Amino acid sequence: MGKLVIISGPSGSGKTTICKLLEKDPQVKKSISVTTRLPRHNEKNGKAYHFVSTKEFEEMIRNGELAEYAEYCGSYYGTPMNALREALAKDIIYLLEIEVQGSLLIMEKFPEVISIFLLPPDKKTLGQRLMERNTNKKQDVELRLKVADKEFEYTDRYKYSVVNDDLEVTVNTIREILGLT
Ligand code: ADP
Ligand code: 5GP
């Protein structure tokens, strides 16, 4: 039986970076979400996300193909159900890198889920990291920072909260939580 893990946190808190480092472990696999947002320049379809149209996404909702889904900054994001079921049948650690509304749905459906909320050292650093990532327009960064204020209110709903200051320390802390060290 696999272990299900949620990694959440505001945009720019370091979720993608940390999941990539955790995935170096052969026991760890990350769910590939479906989204209607446009790919960033470095994102490949089927790797970062499955990029689909709104019509296709809404059809997946109707067909019950998603374990959860949410709307975030004007786009849909969802977790494919089949891949999740297959992963849980194996002896692996399956990461869901998802936002707070979807996390709450997964926590209801899978009470044994290990939920981790990533926090930036402070809001100024979060803004700087979002700008430095250089994949979002200034307007989009501002929107994501506004949404972050709401997301912080959900920290207590997660089993663990981890401040992502030094990257190596953060990854080691999470590896310990997942029983990987
Ligand atoms: P998210 O997936 O949560 O939106 P990313 O993983 O894309 O966040 O990280 C946002 C930016 O911050 C990236 O440019 C990443 O390289 C950088 N970053 C992540 N963690 C750290 C850290 N501990 N220290 C400094 N920069 C970091
Ligand atoms: P981004 O556009 O930065 O890739 O992601 C925006 C937000 O959507 C992030 O908080 C990310 O964790 C979240 N997200 C990505 N995939 C999913 C998903 O399948 N479901 C939900 N609920 N959120 C997701």
Side-chain angles (χ1 to χ4, degrees):
M1 185 73 181
K3 258 189 207 171
L4 188 60
V5 180
I6 294 175
I7 309 266
S8 239
S11 186
S13 58
K15 301 181 295 296
T16 306
T17 308
I18 287 160
C19 285
K20 276 203 184 116
L21 293 169
L22 291 171
E23 271 189 293
K24 286 189 173 172
D25 195 303
Q27 257 183 281
V28 179
K29 215 179 152 221
K30 196 180 116 176
S31 158
I32 300 172
S33 295
V34 185
T35 184
T36 59
R37 91 150 157 70
L38 294 174
R40 295 178 186 140
H41 61 81
N42 54 348
E43 290 179 328
K44 292 205 172 63
N45 195 10
K47 269 211 130 201
Y49 284 102
H50 300 290
F51 295 98
V52 298
S53 66
T54 303
K55 195 166 164 252
E56 285 170 310
F57 195 99
E58 287 173 347
E59 204 163 314
M60 291 182 86
I61 299 174
R62 275 197 299 277
N63 294 341
E65 292 175 52
L66 301 173
E68 62 71 35
Y69 72 93
E71 216 179 325
Y72 176 93
C73 292
S75 301
Y76 276 131
Y77 295 82
T79 303
M81 187 56 144
N82 271 352
L84 172 65
R85 278 217 193 93
E86 279 168 27
L88 288 184
K90 293 180 197 153
D91 191 22
I92 59 168
I93 294 177
Y94 199 56
L95 305 179
L96 304 184
E97 188 205 314
I98 61 177
E99 53 69 64
V100 289
Q101 298 307 326
S103 300
L104 298 180
L105 294 169
I106 293 288
M107 287 173 199
E108 255 175 48
K109 279 191 189 171
F110 302 92
E112 72 286 3
V113 67
I114 301 171
S115 54
I116 301 172
F117 195 87
L118 266 185
L119 290 158
D122 51 65
K123 201 151 175 227
K124 190 165 158 236
T125 311
L126 183 66
Q128 279 165 353
R129 287 183 185 168
L130 275 173
M131 288 306 287
E132 279 162 19
R133 186 168 69 184
N134 210 19
T135 46
N136 297 107
K137 292 192 207 99
K138 191 165 177 282
Q139 212 181 357
D140 192 34
V141 168
E142 279 163 13
L143 177 60
R144 281 165 183 254
L145 283 173
K146 224 184 210 175
V147 173
D149 285 332
K150 286 224 165 65
E151 290 171 320
F152 287 130
E153 292 171 13
Y154 288 87
T155 313
D156 289 352
R157 307 291 287 269
Y158 291 74
K159 283 186 189 148
Y160 301 91
S161 58
V162 177
V163 178
N164 177 23
D165 193 350
D166 180 273
L167 189 56
E168 203 184 323
V169 173
T170 307
V171 172
N172 285 337
T173 304
I174 296 179
R175 281 180 59 84
E176 231 168 83
I177 292 171
L178 304 182
L180 284 168
T181 44

